[in-house]
């Protein structure tokens, strides 16, 4: 709220202030504002309704406390400043009271008297007397912070190096672990392949053994069949020999013997056939036995080969088991190494976590130190800016001394005279300034400005006269045009009304019709009333007419207008669609009477209209998507048919 007034210096009286000013001037120690207790008068803000405003807290002088002897100074500085809650409330109150006093919010935003806004972030400010000490302390603090930042940076670099070494060790352990895992997977894959191959060989051996057993069983069956066939052959041979002996011993009747012989021969033949059959069976069995023997020998060879393969497989299995045992030992050693590596990784991770935690702490310390350094740098920059501003003020004073009095500082010091009576000198100075002020501002370019303004005035005066003359001329033209429009309108309206009456009677076959102005006093803005009475009807409103009658009234009005202002050609689109056949004929015949001055093009579906037409055009679509235009001239048709053309 106070801004630069915070640096004002309170004195007991004006003499103390004057002595202090002389001291500052003598020592060339800058400028300061002094508040003598005896001369400062308090002031208080007096605005009605301010207490009822939303967000209003109070007047700043009433919110502060001080010794009673300083009340006038407090009122002088803060008596015209209002404190509110936020910037929105401040803007509302300032606008309501016309920006007549300063308003300050609780967070330090300011609306100055006159309407200017001051705000933003707040920086800590130091007084003029403590600025040098504060700068020195800030520089010392900044150097300490820089030293701490350097130490923290060096420690951070060391931590990063240690962290890098741990990372390298961890990567090496991970590489060893990955290699061991790859070897383990490779050994496991080989072990699985050997196991699968052993199982396949065992299945093959089992199949071969089954095949050997089947072949042996078949050989035994064939041998048993061969023995049975031999026994049957021996039995038949014995029977043959017995029969031959019976034939030789018997001496019976020849025929009987012959018959018996034939019978026996027949039986013998049968027996021989059976023997031949049995021999064939025996030969077949022998061939099968031979085949079985050959197959058995082959099977024996196969068995020997399989046994050799089995022995090789067993030997290979033994080698594989030995290799598996070696691999298992390698896996166990690798697992031990993996466990050691995992333990090392765990310890490395723990150490890395500790280092990361320490790194985070160091980074936090570094950020804190950077923040402190930035704050110190900002404060140093602010002080430098303040120094520049003060130097600028000093330079402005020196420049003002030169501009107003054309004196340098040294010349002014040489010419400076000590004033004995400061009050009288101030009074004399104020009197001289008042006399200079009463003279007013001297405008050295007043003559040129007067000449320029005079020329501009004459030019504008001429322009205004031209505009007024143009306005009068335009108003006269408007009046003439309005008069002519009224005359033309009245004349045309009368003609249209006359033609409308005649056309209506012709189309309706009687009745009355007329056009009337609803406001005869204002012809150009008046509406037009249509009054019609068809034959045999009393019509109060047009809505009482049928659709065909309304259409015929509109056609009559249109024909009446055409009679007054004939058009070169006219296109009508089914305007007679609502008419009955009789009225269509009347319409077509009346339209024929108007063809001397106007060419009509009609779009219609009514027969009566088409009968009065000179040329008929029709559009057909014989093929899909292809339109064809047909033309028919009624005069040519009438000539061909021997009819009299209209």
């Amino acid at each position: 709220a106070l801004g630069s007034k915070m640096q004002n210096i309170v004195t007991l009286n004006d003499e103390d202030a004057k002595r202090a000013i002389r001291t500052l001037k003598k020592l060339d120690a800058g400028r300061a504002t002094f508040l003598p207790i005896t001369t400062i008068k308090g002031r208080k803000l007096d605005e009605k309704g301010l207490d009822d405003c939303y967000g209003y807290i109070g007047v700043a002088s009433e919110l502060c406390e001080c010794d009673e002897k300083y009340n006038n100074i407090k009122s002088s500085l803060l008596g015209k400043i209002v404190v509110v809650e936020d910037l929105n409330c401040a803007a509302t109150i300032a606008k309501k009271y016309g920006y007549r006093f300063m308003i300050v919010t609780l967070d330090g935003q300011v609306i100055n008297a006159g309407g200017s806004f001051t705000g933003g972030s707040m920086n800590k400010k130091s007084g003029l007397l403590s600025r040098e000490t504060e700068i020195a302390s800030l520089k010392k603090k900044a150097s300490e912070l820089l030293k701490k930042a350097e130490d923290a940076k060096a420690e951070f670099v060391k931590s990063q190096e240690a962290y890098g070494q741990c990372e390298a060790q961890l990567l090496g352990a991970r590489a060893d672990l990955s290699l061991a895992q790859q070897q383990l997977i490779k050994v496991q894959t080989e072990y699985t392949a050997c196991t699968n191959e052993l199982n396949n060989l065992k299945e093959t051996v089992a199949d071969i053994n089954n095949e050997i057993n089947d072949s042996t069983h078949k050989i035994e069956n064939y041998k048993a069949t061969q023995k049975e066939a031999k026994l049957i052959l021996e039995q038949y041979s014995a029977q043959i020999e017995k029969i031959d002996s019976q034939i030789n011993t018997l001496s019976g009747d020849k025929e009987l013997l012959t018959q018996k012989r034939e019978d026996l021969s027949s039986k013998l033949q049968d027996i021989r056939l059976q023997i031949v059959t049995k021999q064939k069976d025996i030969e077949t069995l022998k061939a099968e036995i031979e085949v079985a023997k050959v197959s058995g020998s082959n099977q024996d060879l196969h068995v020997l080969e399989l046994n050799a393969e089995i022995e090789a497989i067993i030997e290979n299995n033994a080698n594989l088991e030995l290799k598996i045992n070696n691999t298992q030992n390698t896996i166990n050693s690798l697992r031990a190494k993996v466990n050691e590596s995992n333990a090392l990784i765990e310890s490395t991770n723990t150490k890395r976590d500790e280092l990361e935690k320490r790194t985070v702490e160091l980074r936090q310390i570094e950020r804190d130190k950077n923040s402190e350094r930035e704050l110190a740098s900002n404060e140093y920059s602010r002080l430098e800016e303040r120094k520049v501003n003060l130097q600028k003020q000093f330079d402005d004073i020196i420049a003002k001394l030169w501009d107003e009095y054309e004196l340098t500082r040294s010349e002014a010091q040489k010419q400076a005279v000590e004033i004995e009576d400061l009050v009288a000198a101030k009074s004399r100075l104020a009197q001289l300034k008042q006399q200079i002020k009463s003279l007013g501002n001297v405008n050295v370019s007043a003559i040129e400005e007067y000449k320029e303004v005079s020329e501009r005035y004459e030019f504008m005066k001429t322009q205004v006269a031209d505009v007024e003359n143009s306005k009068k001329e335009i108003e006269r033209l408007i009046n003439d045009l309005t008069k002519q429009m009224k005359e033309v309108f009245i004349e045309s309206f009368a003609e249209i009304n006359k033609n409308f009456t005649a056309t209506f009677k012709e189309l309706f076959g009687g009745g009355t019709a007329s056009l009337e102005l609803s406001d005869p006093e204002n012809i150009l803005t008046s509406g037009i009333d249509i009054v019609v009475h068809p034959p045999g009807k009393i019509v109060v409103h047009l809505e009482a007419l049928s659709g065909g009658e309304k259409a015929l009234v509109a056609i009559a009005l249109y024909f009446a207008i055409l009679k007054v202002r004939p058009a070169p050609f006219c296109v009508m689109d089914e305007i007679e669609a609502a008419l009955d056949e009789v009225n269509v004929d009347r319409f077509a015949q009346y339209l024929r009477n108007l063809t001397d001055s106007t060419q009509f093009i009609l779009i219609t579906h009514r027969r009566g209209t088409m009968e009065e037409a000179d040329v008929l055009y029709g559009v057909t679509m014989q093929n899909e998507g292809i339109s064809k235009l047909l033309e028919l001239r009624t005069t040519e048709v009438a000539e061909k048919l021997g009819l009299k053309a209209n």
Side-chain angles (χ1 to χ4, degrees):
L2 290 176
S4 60
K5 295 179 182 178
M6 283 289 292
Q7 309 301 326
N8 293 352
I9 301 171
V10 179
T11 61
L12 291 176
N13 49 50
D14 55 349
E15 292 298 328
D16 294 338
K18 286 187 279 186
R19 284 197 297 273
I21 291 172
R22 283 197 295 270
T23 302
L24 290 175
K25 186 176 180 181
K26 181 177 180 181
L27 299 176
D28 194 14
R31 296 171 63 86
T33 300
F34 297 91
L35 305 176
I37 297 176
T38 57
T39 59
I40 298 297
K41 304 297 181 183
R43 52 182 181 173
K44 186 177 180 182
L45 185 66
D46 186 14
E47 296 288 347
K48 295 181 179 180
L50 191 60
D51 297 341
D52 299 330
C53 293
Y54 176 75
Y56 172 79
I57 296 176
V59 179
S61 61
E62 297 175 355
L63 301 175
C64 300
E65 295 181 355
C66 65
D67 292 342
E68 186 176 356
K69 61 181 179 179
Y70 301 121
N71 283 337
N72 287 336
I73 294 177
K74 180 184 71 172
S75 299
S76 175
L77 295 176
L78 301 174
K80 292 287 186 177
I81 300 175
V82 174
V83 180
V84 298
E85 291 183 356
D86 52 34
L87 191 59
N88 293 328
C89 299
T92 304
I93 296 173
K95 185 176 181 181
K96 180 178 179 181
Y97 289 94
Y99 301 96
R100 292 195 296 270
F101 48 85
M102 179 186 290
I103 301 176
V104 182
T105 64
L106 293 178
D107 59 350
Q109 315 305 323
V110 180
I111 298 180
N112 300 298
S116 62
F117 284 59
T118 303
S121 62
M122 298 295 292
N123 291 324
K124 296 181 179 180
K125 296 182 179 180
S126 59
L128 292 173
L129 301 177
S130 61
R131 186 175 293 116
E132 186 175 358
T133 304
E134 186 176 359
I135 290 172
S137 63
L138 287 174
K139 287 183 178 179
K140 182 178 179 182
K141 189 176 181 181
S143 61
E144 293 175 355
L145 291 175
L146 288 174
K147 185 177 179 181
K148 290 181 179 179
E150 293 295 333
D151 296 339
K153 187 174 182 181
E155 188 175 357
F156 177 70
V157 171
K158 292 180 181 179
S159 300
Q160 280 187 333
E161 291 177 355
Y163 178 73
Q165 293 176 359
C166 294
E167 284 286 342
Q169 294 176 0
L170 179 61
L171 290 175
R174 286 179 178 175
D176 295 338
L177 176 62
S178 177
L179 182 61
Q181 288 177 346
Q182 291 177 0
Q183 292 177 354
L184 176 62
I185 292 170
K186 184 177 180 181
V187 171
Q188 288 178 348
T189 304
E190 292 178 355
Y191 175 75
T192 304
C194 293
T195 304
N196 294 332
E197 186 177 357
L198 179 60
N199 293 329
N200 293 330
L201 291 173
K202 287 181 179 179
E203 291 177 357
T204 304
V205 170
D207 293 338
I208 292 170
N209 290 328
N210 293 329
E211 188 176 354
I212 291 170
N213 293 329
D214 293 338
S215 300
T216 305
H217 184 66
K218 286 182 181 180
I219 291 169
E220 292 176 353
N221 291 333
Y222 287 142
K223 289 180 178 179
T225 304
Q226 185 181 8
K227 289 180 180 180
E228 291 177 357
K230 286 181 178 180
L231 291 173
I232 293 170
L233 181 61
E234 290 175 354
Q235 290 176 0
Y236 283 131
S237 298
Q239 289 179 1
I240 291 169
E241 290 176 356
K242 184 178 181 181
I243 290 168
D244 288 336
S245 63
Q246 288 177 358
I247 291 170
N248 294 324
T249 57
L250 291 175
S251 59
D253 189 20
K254 185 178 181 179
E255 293 179 357
L256 181 62
L257 292 173
T258 304
Q259 183 67 32
K260 287 182 178 180
R261 188 182 64 184
E262 290 177 356
D263 293 336
L264 291 172
S265 297
S266 175
K267 289 180 179 180
L268 182 61
Q269 292 294 330
D270 292 335
I271 290 169
R272 285 177 177 173
L273 287 173
Q274 291 179 0
I275 289 170
V276 171
T277 302
K278 295 299 180 180
Q279 286 178 350
K280 289 182 178 180
D281 291 337
I282 290 169
E283 291 176 356
T284 302
L285 290 173
K286 287 181 178 180
E288 289 179 356
I289 289 169
E290 292 296 330
V291 172
K293 287 181 178 180
V294 173
S295 177
S297 62
N298 292 333
Q299 292 294 331
D300 292 336
L301 293 174
H302 193 195
V303 167
L304 294 175
E305 292 176 357
L306 291 175
N307 289 327
E309 290 181 0
I310 289 169
E311 291 177 357
I313 289 169
I314 291 171
E315 184 179 358
N316 192 14
N317 288 339
N319 294 329
L320 289 174
E321 287 178 357
L322 180 61
K323 191 174 181 180
I324 288 167
N325 292 327
N326 295 331
T327 305
Q328 189 66 37
N329 294 329
T330 304
I331 289 170
N332 293 329
S333 63
L334 290 174
R335 284 179 178 173
K337 289 183 179 180
V338 168
N339 293 329
E340 293 176 358
S341 299
N342 289 331
L344 181 61
I345 289 168
E346 289 292 333
S347 62
T348 305
N349 288 333
T350 304
K351 190 173 181 181
R352 185 187 64 181
D353 293 337
E354 293 176 355
L355 291 174
E356 287 180 350
K357 185 176 180 181
R358 180 58 180 166
T359 301
V360 171
E361 293 176 355
L362 291 174
R363 286 178 179 172
Q364 183 63 37
I365 294 171
E366 183 183 9
R367 285 195 292 269
D368 295 339
K369 299 305 179 182
N370 288 333
S371 300
E372 293 177 0
R373 184 178 63 183
E374 289 179 359
L375 292 175
S377 178
N378 293 333
E379 186 65 21
Y380 180 75
S381 300
R382 188 187 67 79
L383 294 175
E384 284 291 333
E385 184 178 359
R386 180 63 178 166
K387 178 182 177 182
V388 170
N389 292 333
L390 293 174
Q391 184 64 37
K392 184 179 179 183
Q393 292 179 5
F394 177 76
D395 294 339
D396 292 339
I397 294 171
I398 298 299
K400 185 176 180 182
L401 183 65
W402 174 259
D403 293 337
E404 292 184 0
Y405 305 105
E406 295 185 355
L407 293 174
T408 61
R409 180 186 175 191
S410 58
E411 292 175 350
Q413 287 178 345
K414 292 178 181 179
Q415 296 180 10
V417 178
E418 185 176 356
I419 301 173
E420 297 178 356
D421 190 354
L422 185 61
V423 176
K426 282 187 175 181
S427 176
R428 177 60 178 164
L429 178 61
Q431 183 180 2
L432 293 174
K433 286 184 177 180
Q434 185 64 33
Q435 290 177 359
I436 294 172
K437 187 176 181 181
S438 63
L439 294 176
N441 296 326
V442 178
N443 188 0
V444 295
S445 59
I447 298 174
E448 289 77 7
E449 289 181 0
Y450 171 76
K451 183 178 180 181
E452 182 180 351
V453 172
S454 177
E455 291 177 355
R456 183 175 175 80
Y457 171 75
E458 293 296 332
F459 175 75
M460 297 300 293
K461 185 177 180 181
T462 305
Q463 293 292 323
V464 170
D466 292 340
V467 171
E468 290 178 351
N469 293 332
S470 300
K471 178 183 176 183
K472 292 178 181 178
E473 184 65 23
I474 291 170
E475 289 176 349
R476 185 183 64 77
L477 290 174
I478 291 172
N479 293 330
D480 293 341
L481 288 173
T482 303
K483 184 177 179 182
Q484 292 178 10
M485 289 169 61
K486 288 181 179 179
E487 292 175 355
V488 173
F489 179 79
I490 292 171
E491 182 180 355
S492 300
F493 183 77
E495 292 180 5
I496 293 172
N497 189 15
K498 180 180 177 182
N499 294 334
F500 179 59
T501 302
T503 304
F504 183 84
K505 289 180 179 181
E506 290 182 19
L507 292 176
F508 278 87
T512 60
S514 62
L515 300 175
E516 297 178 357
L517 295 174
S518 58
D519 187 6
E521 298 298 329
N522 299 313
I523 295 174
L524 297 180
T525 59
S526 173
I528 298 175
D529 297 331
I530 301 174
V531 182
V532 295
H533 296 289
K537 277 190 177 182
I538 299 175
V539 180
V540 179
H541 197 275
L542 286 176
E543 293 298 329
L545 298 176
S546 64
E549 289 173 339
K550 291 179 182 178
L552 202 58
V553 169
I555 291 170
L557 180 58
Y558 183 67
F559 285 162
I561 296 172
L562 277 179
K563 286 183 178 180
V564 177
R565 293 286 187 272
F569 65 90
C570 180
V571 180
M572 298 181 179
D573 187 2
E574 297 188 19
I575 66 171
E576 84 287 20
L579 303 181
D580 54 15
E581 294 297 333
V582 176
N583 288 327
V584 168
D585 294 337
R586 289 180 181 174
F587 162 74
Q589 292 173 3
Y590 194 88
L591 192 66
R592 166 67 68 179
N593 298 329
L594 299 177
T595 56
D596 293 337
S597 58
T598 304
Q599 180 181 5
F600 292 95
I601 301 172
L602 280 77
I603 301 171
T604 182
H605 292 90
R606 304 304 296 271
R607 180 175 180 179
T609 305
M610 289 189 281
E611 288 176 350
E612 292 294 332
D614 294 331
V615 182
L616 296 176
Y617 295 96
V619 179
T620 182
M621 188 182 290
Q622 295 178 350
N623 298 323
E624 184 177 358
I626 301 175
S627 299
K628 184 177 180 182
L629 183 65
L630 302 178
E631 179 183 0
L632 176 64
R633 295 185 178 274
T634 56
T635 55
E636 296 178 358
V637 175
E639 290 176 359
K640 291 180 180 180
L641 296 178
L643 300 176
K644 183 179 179 181
N646 292 332

